[in-house]
Amino acid sequence: MEKIVALCKRRGFVFQNSEIYGGQNGFWDYGPLGTELKRNVRNVWYEDMVQSHNELLLQDGAPVKFQMVGLETSIIMHPQVWKCSGHYDLFHDMMVDCRETRGRYRLDQVRVRRVSCNEKTVPGQLDGTPPDSIRDGDQKEFEHVIVASTAEEFQEDLTAEALRVFGLKKKYADRVQWDGDATTLDRIAEADFAYVVAPGASRAGSFTAPREFNLMFKTIIGALGSSEDAAFLRPETAQGIFVNFRNVADSTRVKLPFGVAQIGKSFRNEITPRNFTFRSREFEQMEIEFFCHPEQSRDWYTWWRDHRYQWYQRLGISPDRLILRDHEASELAHYSVGTADIEYAFPFLEDGEYGELEGVAHRGNFDLRSHMEGKLAKNDNGELEVEQDEQGQPVHRGSGKDLSYFDDQSRERFVPHVIEPSAGADRATLAFICEAYHEDAQPDEHGKPQERTVMKFHPRLAPVKAAVFPLIKKEGMPEKAAEIFGELKAAGLNCHYDQQGAIGRRYRRQDEIGTPFCITVDGDTASDNTVTLRDRDSLEQIRVGADRIVQEISDRLKV
Ligand code: ATP
């Protein structure tokens, strides 16, 4: 992962935000190449899901076609939106603070493991000085220490913490006795917090009791705004689609089933942003709300889940590192009939662990009903109904507008069900970067092996589609190369022109940023009007007519 992060900075994919001022944790900037790459991710998603989608679902043997439309809604919305959606009351993470180190952690991100080290097993061989809490001989505490780590490589870090806590040198790692497997802080009883040594803390018991922390960023609208005018930066783009359901249905005359897609920024005040761009405080989502008849929603749910899973694979993510994980019943939100996550084995995770790229959720009619009737909650019979306060009033009032749908063929009125494939543009971009990263050794023009770093981006995603080189800076080669470069640009292809250095080095510069094709104008070009076309992955080099090169590249990009 360090190599990938270094490459991202060196070649201008991703920069730390406000770096010259020391950076702003949880925010990232995309450099020139990262901007192209992420734009391609968004465009490919929009093209495949909205503009050129031509998929259909076979239902009872009959094909069902559906329409997809786009939407762009604003980041700040009426505060009532978040009250009815549940985000105002429920969108929080549990956190703990360490009173000693002042560290703040998300409860479910602190890995903990019980460990002991009976001094009798290491008579007189302790090399370091155990911290006071342990040396002072409270044997009970000594035996029940729980070490904590927030590192992704937590097994290794927990051992390091245990050694630190017991004041042992690394070579005595076998003298600590683990009791049970590592778990997370949210899974141990609060009474046991007294035995937990927070990361970097010198004694046990410094964690506060867990507290709720709402993840929505607050802001104030208007110059005279008081706290009553508080508004929120959206934590998801989805609600902009739900509150516009009527507008879309009325203005476009789309018929059910149909989907509405939106790409846009979302904001979450994450307690511990981490893992490069994976968990940021400002990020971009690519969300679809697919509205359908309640009786067909299960089929559509399965269809979208599989369809989205395949999309990543079509763009080059290996099925070895991509899983489709159905949520267990206990993980499901109270309104959800089914949810699946599409997860990727990011290199910063432990072996066998995966990070979420996208969630595909069956949301029933929860969202449209909430915006009609008011915030919903499950009653004793497990049915959703408007949540009421002690006076019998709705806790949060809905819009009172009719968000149902009238099917003029069946003459039936109902509140549609929703299937929501919700993807992160930054997480997808990061997965494509991680997947693309390769190192290999290739023979140079003299047959000597040359190490190269090559980003094997899918051609549709590659930030630069082709690079044009004159072999040498004379004999009309630069002019011819510049002419080809101009033609490629005119065809809308992002290209590089490079005449600096040995040809092998120029190839390697392009390999490192994932340019799929390199075109070299050489000594033969003047006589036969052909150029060399080199393929990044196969390294195959063929001669192509200079007048056909734009077409050839365009064709090869259409995979
Ligand atoms: P996580 O469990 O990782 O916090 P989530 O389940 O809260 O994610 P959703 O609310 O389902 O995420 O959001 C949909 C998608 O938005 C996620 O699959 C992810 O790709 C993206 N996303 C969510 N939070 C972040 C974040 N903090 N940084 C980057 N992308 C994010």
Side-chain angles (χ1 to χ4, degrees):
M1 194 64 207
E2 275 115 59
K3 284 184 178 173
I4 292 173
V5 174
L7 184 140
C8 282
K9 178 165 161 86
R10 189 173 68 247
R11 298 306 310 265
F13 282 94
V14 182
F15 303 132
Q16 194 183 10
N17 169 270
S18 310
E19 191 180 338
I20 59 167
Y21 289 104
Q24 182 65 43
N25 197 12
F27 299 87
W28 296 94
D29 296 338
Y30 287 85
L33 286 177
T35 302
E36 293 299 325
L37 174 65
K38 192 172 153 196
R39 179 187 297 273
N40 292 342
V41 171
R42 281 191 300 245
N43 288 352
V44 166
W45 180 87
Y46 198 77
E47 262 170 43
D48 291 353
M49 295 300 119
V50 182
Q51 292 173 324
S52 65
H53 97 94
N54 59 2
E55 295 83 9
L56 34 80
L57 171 79
L58 280 180
Q59 219 156 32
D60 303 327
V64 185
K65 267 245 171 240
F66 60 92
Q67 230 176 311
M68 296 289 297
V69 295
L71 196 67
E72 198 170 308
T73 71
S74 67
I75 285 169
I76 293 180
M77 302 174 73
H78 194 292
Q80 202 63 16
V81 169
W82 307 112
K83 292 186 175 163
C84 289
S85 70
H87 287 85
Y88 185 81
D89 297 329
L90 301 171
F91 193 55
H92 53 242
D93 279 341
M94 299 303 286
M95 64 170 192
V96 283
D97 288 307
C98 170
R99 293 188 202 91
E100 183 186 330
T101 63
R102 308 231 162 262
R104 175 164 284 181
Y105 308 94
R106 218 172 97 172
L107 201 60
D108 61 349
Q109 284 179 349
V110 183
R111 314 273 185 154
V112 287
R113 197 168 178 194
R114 217 171 266 273
V115 64
S116 61
C117 169
N118 190 331
E119 229 172 330
K120 289 191 196 106
T121 63
V122 282
Q125 289 183 28
L126 287 176
D127 277 301
T129 311
D132 294 347
S133 57
I134 288 149
R135 196 179 36 197
D136 288 354
D138 181 348
Q139 195 65 20
K140 201 156 183 281
E141 186 171 356
F142 194 142
E143 282 170 4
H144 288 273
V145 171
I146 299 172
V147 283
S149 163
T150 52
E152 283 303 340
E153 309 264 311
F154 61 88
Q155 297 296 3
E156 218 173 284
D157 198 47
L158 286 171
T159 306
E161 278 293 287
L163 294 174
R164 183 181 69 77
V165 165
F166 295 127
L168 287 170
K169 279 196 169 169
K170 214 172 171 182
K171 58 182 173 181
Y172 298 126
D174 57 345
R175 303 222 168 125
V176 298
Q177 283 119 44
W178 297 104
D179 179 8
D181 291 334
T183 180
T184 46
L185 198 55
D186 55 332
R187 293 182 184 219
I188 67 167
E190 220 179 295
D192 282 344
F193 278 31
Y195 302 112
V196 180
V197 184
S202 65
R203 51 183 67 236
S206 61
F207 272 139
T208 58
R211 281 188 291 151
E212 285 177 0
F213 176 76
N214 195 300
L215 298 178
M216 283 197 294
F217 277 99
K218 244 188 196 168
T219 186
I220 301 277
I221 299 179
L224 298 173
S226 66
S227 59
E228 272 111 76
D229 301 306
F232 303 94
L233 306 193
R234 67 179 175 201
E236 60 172 35
T237 62
Q239 298 304 323
I241 301 180
F242 295 128
V243 301
N244 276 295
F245 171 73
R246 249 291 50 92
N247 285 336
V248 173
D250 291 349
S251 61
T252 60
R253 310 193 65 226
V254 281
K255 295 264 178 278
L256 232 63
F258 68 88
V260 183
Q262 158 151 255
I263 299 177
K265 289 265 181 159
S266 292
F267 301 80
R268 295 183 189 179
N269 201 356
E270 298 279 357
I271 299 165
T272 40
R274 47 150 87 195
N275 293 332
F276 203 25
T277 58
F278 180 82
R279 186 171 302 287
S280 320
R281 289 179 166 138
E282 174 177 340
F283 55 95
E284 206 154 359
Q285 289 185 308
M286 309 186 289
E287 295 196 293
I288 294 170
E289 303 305 328
F290 187 79
F291 300 96
C292 60
H293 191 284
E295 277 168 20
Q296 295 171 350
S297 57
R298 274 178 192 272
D299 286 351
W300 281 116
Y301 165 65
T302 318
W303 187 87
W304 273 107
R305 199 193 58 176
D306 299 345
H307 188 56
R308 291 298 306 147
Y309 182 53
Q310 283 150 16
W311 184 79
Y312 292 97
Q313 294 178 47
R314 282 206 305 276
L315 291 166
I317 303 270
S318 160
D320 297 344
R321 283 177 288 278
L322 192 72
I323 58 163
L324 186 59
R325 189 178 68 81
D326 286 307
H327 281 207
E328 319 243 324
S330 61
E331 277 182 275
L332 292 178
H334 58 289
Y335 48 78
S336 185
V337 178
T339 297
D341 284 345
I342 299 169
E343 301 181 337
Y344 179 69
F346 284 99
F348 49 75
L349 299 172
E350 295 260 322
D351 277 357
E353 296 218 329
Y354 294 83
E356 176 180 327
L357 284 181
E358 169 161 353
V360 183
H362 182 308
R363 299 180 62 92
N365 58 16
F366 174 80
D367 306 275
L368 290 178
R369 272 189 65 199
S370 302
H371 289 304
M372 277 164 71
E373 304 167 30
K375 188 185 165 218
L376 301 175
K378 263 195 181 159
N379 64 18
D380 295 343
N381 303 326
E383 293 150 357
L384 286 172
E385 61 177 30
V386 176
E387 195 179 347
Q388 296 185 340
D389 62 17
E390 277 142 25
Q391 283 78 44
Q393 295 299 311
V395 173
H396 297 303
R397 277 180 201 286
S399 66
K401 299 284 185 295
D402 181 8
L403 303 180
S404 65
Y405 177 84
F406 183 69
D407 187 328
D408 43 17
Q409 288 207 324
S410 65
R411 316 292 304 160
E412 189 189 2
R413 181 170 289 284
F414 55 89
V415 182
H417 273 195
V418 172
I419 312 302
E420 178 188 79
S422 170
D426 306 270
R427 285 200 190 165
T429 302
L430 183 58
F432 289 127
I433 289 176
C434 295
E435 186 73 15
Y437 188 92
H438 285 81
E439 289 172 355
D440 62 22
Q442 295 302 333
D444 65 8
E445 52 269 44
H446 311 293
K448 271 215 264 152
Q450 292 280 344
E451 305 256 309
R452 71 166 186 164
T453 299
V454 53
M455 296 296 278
K456 295 192 175 175
F457 289 122
H458 187 283
R460 290 178 79 192
L461 299 177
V464 178
K465 305 299 184 196
V468 191
F469 312 144
L471 185 63
I472 50 173
K473 282 189 254 179
K474 49 190 177 190
E475 294 169 21
M477 293 183 209
E479 290 77 3
K480 184 67 188 169
E483 187 187 316
I484 293 173
F485 173 74
E487 287 168 9
L488 289 162
K489 286 288 233 187
L493 300 172
N494 190 35
C495 295
H496 276 179
Y497 175 90
D498 187 1
Q499 56 178 29
Q500 227 52 52
I503 197 79
R505 289 194 54 189
R506 282 184 260 170
Y507 281 147
R508 280 194 298 282
R509 276 203 286 271
Q510 294 301 325
D511 288 343
E512 204 185 34
I513 60 169
T515 307
F517 307 109
C518 289
I519 298 156
T520 307
V521 172
D522 57 22
D524 293 338
T525 307
S527 54
D528 64 5
N529 200 31
T530 62
V531 292
T532 302
L533 175 62
R534 178 234 195 213
D535 182 284
R536 176 196 69 198
D537 299 338
S538 68
L539 297 169
E540 187 194 28
Q541 300 197 7
I542 58 166
R543 302 292 298 183
V544 178
D547 47 359
R548 270 195 35 242
I549 193 72
V550 175
Q551 192 56 47
E552 179 73 27
I553 299 283
S554 303
D555 290 347
R556 285 176 180 238
L557 289 170
K558 278 192 214 119
V559 279

mmCIF file of all heavy atoms in Angstrom, residues 371-388:
data_model
loop_
_atom_site.group_PDB
_atom_site.id
_atom_site.type_symbol
_atom_site.label_atom_id
_atom_site.label_comp_id
_atom_site.label_asym_id
_atom_site.label_seq_id
_atom_site.Cartn_x
_atom_site.Cartn_y
_atom_site.Cartn_z
ATOM 1 N N HIS A 371 -41.134 10.154 3.820
ATOM 2 C CA HIS A 371 -41.276 11.535 3.341
ATOM 3 C C HIS A 371 -42.750 11.927 3.142
ATOM 4 O O HIS A 371 -43.067 13.103 3.074
ATOM 5 C CB HIS A 371 -40.463 11.753 2.065
ATOM 6 C CG HIS A 371 -38.984 11.770 2.334
ATOM 7 N ND1 HIS A 371 -38.412 12.631 3.225
ATOM 8 C CD2 HIS A 371 -37.979 11.001 1.867
ATOM 9 C CE1 HIS A 371 -37.110 12.407 3.299
ATOM 10 N NE2 HIS A 371 -36.823 11.409 2.475
ATOM 11 N N MET A 372 -43.617 10.959 3.059
ATOM 12 C CA MET A 372 -45.052 11.256 3.004
ATOM 13 C C MET A 372 -45.606 11.456 4.413
ATOM 14 O O MET A 372 -46.184 12.473 4.744
ATOM 15 C CB MET A 372 -45.811 10.062 2.392
ATOM 16 C CG MET A 372 -45.821 10.014 0.895
ATOM 17 S SD MET A 372 -46.325 8.369 0.289
ATOM 18 C CE MET A 372 -48.025 8.307 0.668
ATOM 19 N N GLU A 373 -45.372 10.426 5.257
ATOM 20 C CA GLU A 373 -46.096 10.344 6.533
ATOM 21 C C GLU A 373 -45.330 10.861 7.742
ATOM 22 O O GLU A 373 -45.939 11.231 8.740
ATOM 23 C CB GLU A 373 -46.457 8.870 6.807
ATOM 24 C CG GLU A 373 -47.250 8.209 5.700
ATOM 25 C CD GLU A 373 -47.307 6.691 5.880
ATOM 26 O OE1 GLU A 373 -47.274 6.214 7.014
ATOM 27 O OE2 GLU A 373 -47.357 5.986 4.848
ATOM 28 N N GLY A 374 -44.011 10.839 7.677
ATOM 29 C CA GLY A 374 -43.204 11.188 8.851
ATOM 30 C C GLY A 374 -42.295 10.028 9.190
ATOM 31 O O GLY A 374 -42.471 8.916 8.678
ATOM 32 N N LYS A 375 -41.353 10.286 10.084
ATOM 33 C CA LYS A 375 -40.363 9.250 10.401
ATOM 34 C C LYS A 375 -41.038 7.962 10.893
ATOM 35 O O LYS A 375 -41.886 7.995 11.779
ATOM 36 C CB LYS A 375 -39.412 9.760 11.466
ATOM 37 C CG LYS A 375 -38.268 8.822 11.694
ATOM 38 C CD LYS A 375 -37.382 9.269 12.826
ATOM 39 C CE LYS A 375 -36.500 8.124 13.235
ATOM 40 N NZ LYS A 375 -36.310 8.059 14.680
ATOM 41 N N LEU A 376 -40.615 6.867 10.312
ATOM 42 C CA LEU A 376 -41.234 5.578 10.622
ATOM 43 C C LEU A 376 -40.384 4.784 11.608
ATOM 44 O O LEU A 376 -39.163 4.933 11.650
ATOM 45 C CB LEU A 376 -41.378 4.749 9.340
ATOM 46 C CG LEU A 376 -42.204 5.346 8.197
ATOM 47 C CD1 LEU A 376 -42.127 4.429 6.982
ATOM 48 C CD2 LEU A 376 -43.658 5.546 8.601
ATOM 49 N N ALA A 377 -41.062 3.965 12.347
ATOM 50 C CA ALA A 377 -40.350 3.017 13.219
ATOM 51 C C ALA A 377 -41.167 1.736 13.253
ATOM 52 O O ALA A 377 -42.361 1.752 12.943
ATOM 53 C CB ALA A 377 -40.210 3.602 14.611
ATOM 54 N N LYS A 378 -40.522 0.643 13.629
ATOM 55 C CA LYS A 378 -41.252 -0.636 13.676
ATOM 56 C C LYS A 378 -42.096 -0.714 14.940
ATOM 57 O O LYS A 378 -41.606 -0.386 16.027
ATOM 58 C CB LYS A 378 -40.251 -1.790 13.666
ATOM 59 C CG LYS A 378 -40.058 -2.345 12.284
ATOM 60 C CD LYS A 378 -39.385 -3.690 12.286
ATOM 61 C CE LYS A 378 -39.225 -4.116 10.829
ATOM 62 N NZ LYS A 378 -38.218 -5.111 10.633
ATOM 63 N N ASN A 379 -43.357 -1.147 14.807
ATOM 64 C CA ASN A 379 -44.176 -1.334 16.009
ATOM 65 C C ASN A 379 -43.965 -2.743 16.560
ATOM 66 O O ASN A 379 -43.136 -3.509 16.054
ATOM 67 C CB ASN A 379 -45.654 -1.045 15.709
ATOM 68 C CG ASN A 379 -46.232 -2.032 14.701
ATOM 69 O OD1 ASN A 379 -45.667 -3.105 14.469
ATOM 70 N ND2 ASN A 379 -47.357 -1.679 14.109
ATOM 71 N N ASP A 380 -44.749 -3.103 17.603
ATOM 72 C CA ASP A 380 -44.541 -4.397 18.255
ATOM 73 C C ASP A 380 -44.780 -5.573 17.310
ATOM 74 O O ASP A 380 -44.248 -6.667 17.505
ATOM 75 C CB ASP A 380 -45.469 -4.536 19.477
ATOM 76 C CG ASP A 380 -45.083 -3.516 20.529
ATOM 77 O OD1 ASP A 380 -43.957 -2.984 20.439
ATOM 78 O OD2 ASP A 380 -45.917 -3.237 21.416
ATOM 79 N N ASN A 381 -45.584 -5.347 16.277
ATOM 80 C CA ASN A 381 -45.839 -6.438 15.315
ATOM 81 C C ASN A 381 -44.813 -6.451 14.192
ATOM 82 O O ASN A 381 -44.983 -7.161 13.203
ATOM 83 C CB ASN A 381 -47.234 -6.276 14.695
ATOM 84 C CG ASN A 381 -48.303 -6.252 15.745
ATOM 85 O OD1 ASN A 381 -48.162 -6.926 16.754
ATOM 86 N ND2 ASN A 381 -49.338 -5.462 15.515
ATOM 87 N N GLY A 382 -43.811 -5.619 14.314
ATOM 88 C CA GLY A 382 -42.777 -5.585 13.289
ATOM 89 C C GLY A 382 -43.180 -4.789 12.059
ATOM 90 O O GLY A 382 -42.522 -4.853 11.021
ATOM 91 N N GLU A 383 -44.294 -4.037 12.163
ATOM 92 C CA GLU A 383 -44.705 -3.237 10.995
ATOM 93 C C GLU A 383 -44.222 -1.810 11.154
ATOM 94 O O GLU A 383 -44.119 -1.301 12.267
ATOM 95 C CB GLU A 383 -46.245 -3.203 10.907
ATOM 96 C CG GLU A 383 -46.848 -4.532 10.590
ATOM 97 C CD GLU A 383 -48.232 -4.679 11.208
ATOM 98 O OE1 GLU A 383 -48.666 -3.754 11.931
ATOM 99 O OE2 GLU A 383 -48.849 -5.720 10.978
ATOM 100 N N LEU A 384 -43.964 -1.178 10.003
ATOM 101 C CA LEU A 384 -43.507 0.211 10.054
ATOM 102 C C LEU A 384 -44.694 1.138 10.256
ATOM 103 O O LEU A 384 -45.692 1.039 9.544
ATOM 104 C CB LEU A 384 -42.803 0.575 8.744
ATOM 105 C CG LEU A 384 -41.405 -0.015 8.538
ATOM 106 C CD1 LEU A 384 -40.922 0.260 7.122
ATOM 107 C CD2 LEU A 384 -40.423 0.551 9.550
ATOM 108 N N GLU A 385 -44.583 2.001 11.225
ATOM 109 C CA GLU A 385 -45.618 3.022 11.375
ATOM 110 C C GLU A 385 -44.968 4.317 11.856
ATOM 111 O O GLU A 385 -43.811 4.321 12.293
ATOM 112 C CB GLU A 385 -46.716 2.567 12.327
ATOM 113 C CG GLU A 385 -46.243 2.291 13.717
ATOM 114 C CD GLU A 385 -47.404 1.901 14.642
ATOM 115 O OE1 GLU A 385 -48.397 1.300 14.153
ATOM 116 O OE2 GLU A 385 -47.303 2.197 15.827
ATOM 117 N N VAL A 386 -45.725 5.411 11.749
ATOM 118 C CA VAL A 386 -45.159 6.713 12.110
ATOM 119 C C VAL A 386 -44.809 6.712 13.596
ATOM 120 O O VAL A 386 -45.632 6.365 14.443
ATOM 121 C CB VAL A 386 -46.162 7.846 11.785
ATOM 122 C CG1 VAL A 386 -45.612 9.191 12.247
ATOM 123 C CG2 VAL A 386 -46.453 7.875 10.296
ATOM 124 N N GLU A 387 -43.584 7.087 13.875
ATOM 125 C CA GLU A 387 -43.124 7.103 15.256
ATOM 126 C C GLU A 387 -43.779 8.271 15.991
ATOM 127 O O GLU A 387 -43.800 9.398 15.480
ATOM 128 C CB GLU A 387 -41.604 7.261 15.251
ATOM 129 C CG GLU A 387 -40.962 6.950 16.563
ATOM 130 C CD GLU A 387 -39.440 7.098 16.500
ATOM 131 O OE1 GLU A 387 -38.873 7.199 15.387
ATOM 132 O OE2 GLU A 387 -38.836 7.139 17.571
ATOM 133 N N GLN A 388 -44.325 7.981 17.185
ATOM 134 C CA GLN A 388 -45.051 9.038 17.906
ATOM 135 C C GLN A 388 -44.383 9.377 19.225
ATOM 136 O O GLN A 388 -43.750 8.523 19.850
ATOM 137 C CB GLN A 388 -46.479 8.566 18.172
ATOM 138 C CG GLN A 388 -47.240 8.362 16.878
ATOM 139 C CD GLN A 388 -48.684 8.025 17.096
ATOM 140 O OE1 GLN A 388 -49.071 7.587 18.167
ATOM 141 N NE2 GLN A 388 -49.497 8.250 16.070
#
